[in-house]
Amino acid sequence: LARNPGFGGSIVLAAAVGMPVLAGWLQTWVYSVYVLTAYAGVRLISLIWRPTTRGRAVTVGLLVAAGFTIGLALAAIQLLPSVELQRLGVRRPGGLSLAAILPMGVLSPRDLLSEALNAAPAMPRHYVGIVTLLLIPLSLFTVKIRWRVLFFWCVGSFSVLVAVSLFTPVFRLCLQLPTAAWFRLPQRILILQAFASAVLA
């Protein structure tokens, strides 16, 4: 959309916004929408920043808004019953208590590092591969797409800092995001760290 503004790009964005909801796991969908929204914002700022692309920013912004709107419409078949269920269930709007968010305790930085380096079958959930971990630092030497590298470093770092919850103040800030306090087990946000690791590698 940023390079070649067109409605086809909006449809692809709509699929990226809407399809994960149909898998039925709203928590990971919310996390992916956070990243999509942040990435769209960064792309729009980069267009506005350069005088040569500034004129395109409004068109791109409208196409991005159309993509998000169509995506939410696609997702409505799952979102609307989920909202109704949430109002009727124990997880009412307004968020869960800290005890309910962390029913199994906190993931310590030490445990996270141990799991990140452990390739044992079926365990752990946070392993992305030793080669991936070795390649990630090399992304810092990228010249042409440095702002994207910085963005995905931020996504990966943010998700790790949220996953270790009470060990960092970032977790409390994350709870201020829309619907972030509605879900248990914040370490599930490490799906973003896995995605960022793959992109950076």
Side-chain angles (χ1 to χ4, degrees):
L1 278 172
R3 282 194 301 256
N4 302 303
F7 195 65
S10 295
I11 297 301
V12 173
L13 176 59
V17 170
M19 294 303 290
V21 179
L22 303 181
W25 200 359
L26 291 178
Q27 185 173 7
T28 54
W29 175 74
V30 166
Y31 296 152
S32 68
V33 169
Y34 290 161
V35 173
L36 277 169
T37 304
Y39 189 73
V42 167
R43 290 293 288 182
L44 285 171
I45 290 168
S46 73
L47 289 175
I48 294 168
W49 189 267
R50 296 187 209 115
T52 55
T53 58
R54 197 168 288 154
R56 239 188 309 161
V58 173
T59 303
V60 171
L62 291 172
L63 289 169
V64 166
F68 271 95
T69 303
I70 295 167
L72 289 173
L74 287 171
I77 194 168
Q78 177 69 39
L79 277 178
L80 295 178
S82 296
V83 169
E84 182 180 4
L85 177 64
Q86 199 236 1
R87 287 183 181 159
L88 298 173
V90 294
R91 299 185 194 184
R92 302 292 167 86
L96 300 171
S97 68
L98 196 57
I101 291 172
L102 300 166
M104 300 158 96
V106 297
L107 176 66
S108 72
R110 184 179 188 178
D111 290 342
L112 178 60
L113 180 61
S114 173
E115 290 183 10
L117 300 174
N118 183 355
M123 175 68 186
R125 297 177 183 176
H126 315 305
Y127 180 74
V128 293
I130 299 299
V131 173
T132 301
L133 292 175
L134 294 174
L135 287 173
I136 289 171
L138 297 178
S139 66
L140 294 172
F141 297 101
T142 305
V143 177
K144 291 185 179 179
I145 53 172
R146 186 165 287 161
W147 68 267
R148 289 185 204 169
V149 169
L150 178 61
F151 177 82
F152 284 106
W153 268 92
C154 289
V155 168
S157 301
F158 174 76
S159 64
V160 166
L161 292 173
V162 171
V164 294
S165 59
L166 301 179
F167 288 95
T168 72
V170 177
F171 174 68
R172 298 273 187 187
L173 291 173
C174 179
L175 292 180
Q176 303 308 310
L177 292 171
T179 73
W182 292 7
F183 303 105
R184 301 183 315 134
L185 305 174
Q187 60 265 33
R188 288 176 178 155
I189 201 170
L190 288 171
I191 190 172
L192 300 182
Q193 184 266 337
F195 176 69
S197 296
V199 171
L200 293 170

